[in-house]
Amino acid sequence: MSDRKVILFGATGMIGRGVLNECLADERVGQVLAVGRSTLGIEHEKLRELVQPDPADLSAIADDLPEFDACFFCLGVSAVGMKEEDYRRITYDLTMRIGRTLAAANPELTFIYVSGHGTDSTEKGRSMWARVKGKTENDLLALPLRAYMFRPGFVYPTDGAVSRTRLYRVGYAITGPFVPLLRRVAPNMINNNREIGRAMIAVAVSGADSHVLGPREITARATP
């Protein structure tokens, strides 16, 4: 399993950084290609980077895409203060461009998408972000890929990872001291970013019983 190749989107984000750290530490992963708009500023023998303005343009590595075993998609933005059309363009349009490209290159690829607890699979609810995430999930699951949707609950950072959203940073600063207590009180509603990474690797290696995994299932797959 040590030759498993992973393509990672969103590695500069809070969740993505935890996933990256787990990939670099796990012997089952042999190579990580991080695709994004800015460099990570780190070096590792397993790590390659593709830095460009449009993360969905994979033409530069088109010949390499069939060699990847999994895609860990952690790229996303907060819906706070965004119009639906703008949120959809980033959350749905960008994701589906990448999903379709990878499906055409390798239908056997495992595609794991980080969604969120409360995502609306009916696409008809009142919550804008939940509807858009729901459509994204549904259309990814319809692609010829081994697709899995991760719906973590409250995600707290490890290893110094920081959310880009100011509101979230304030929330983490306030709740941080209480995380151990929260994990005891509500263990099935909390995940950390490295736990999500461990669960992704486990699903990429051996699959999962369901194609939609909530906080409880993520924790279970992250546990050796």
Side-chain angles (χ1 to χ4, degrees), residues 28-154:
R28 292 171 294 181
V29 178
Q31 183 182 119
V32 181
L33 173 63
V35 181
R37 296 185 178 93
S38 58
T39 184
L40 297 173
I42 62 175
E43 293 186 4
H44 192 282
E45 61 183 0
K46 291 185 183 181
L47 179 64
R48 292 172 52 202
E49 291 192 71
L50 176 61
V51 180
Q52 56 189 21
D54 181 5
D57 180 7
L58 302 180
S59 57
I61 56 169
D63 292 342
D64 298 331
L65 292 180
E67 300 176 6
F68 285 94
D69 302 287
C71 172
F72 297 161
F73 197 93
C74 308
L75 185 64
V77 295
S78 169
V80 177
M82 293 191 72
K83 295 180 179 179
E84 183 165 349
E85 60 188 59
D86 295 328
Y87 184 71
R88 179 188 172 97
R89 185 173 62 253
I90 298 172
T91 301
Y92 178 82
D93 295 347
L94 178 65
T95 305
M96 292 307 302
R97 283 175 60 200
I98 293 169
R100 293 185 185 109
T101 298
L102 294 177
N106 181 9
E108 296 300 310
L109 178 135
T110 297
F111 190 104
I112 302 180
Y113 175 69
V114 177
S115 185
H117 186 69
T119 291
D120 178 15
S121 297
T122 72
E123 306 176 28
K124 298 178 181 179
R126 298 180 64 182
S127 175
M128 180 271 284
W129 77 264
R131 290 195 310 271
V132 175
K133 287 279 192 180
K135 180 169 179 55
T136 305
E137 284 191 354
N138 291 339
D139 288 2
L140 284 173
L141 288 167
L143 291 176
L145 287 166
R146 295 176 176 175
Y148 294 90
M149 308 296 112
F150 272 34
R151 296 181 178 180
F154 174 77

Side-chain angles (χ1 to χ4, degrees), residues 12 62 79 166-167 183 185 193 224:
T12 59
R166 183 177 182 277
L167 181 63
R183 290 222 75 160
V185 174
N193 55 348

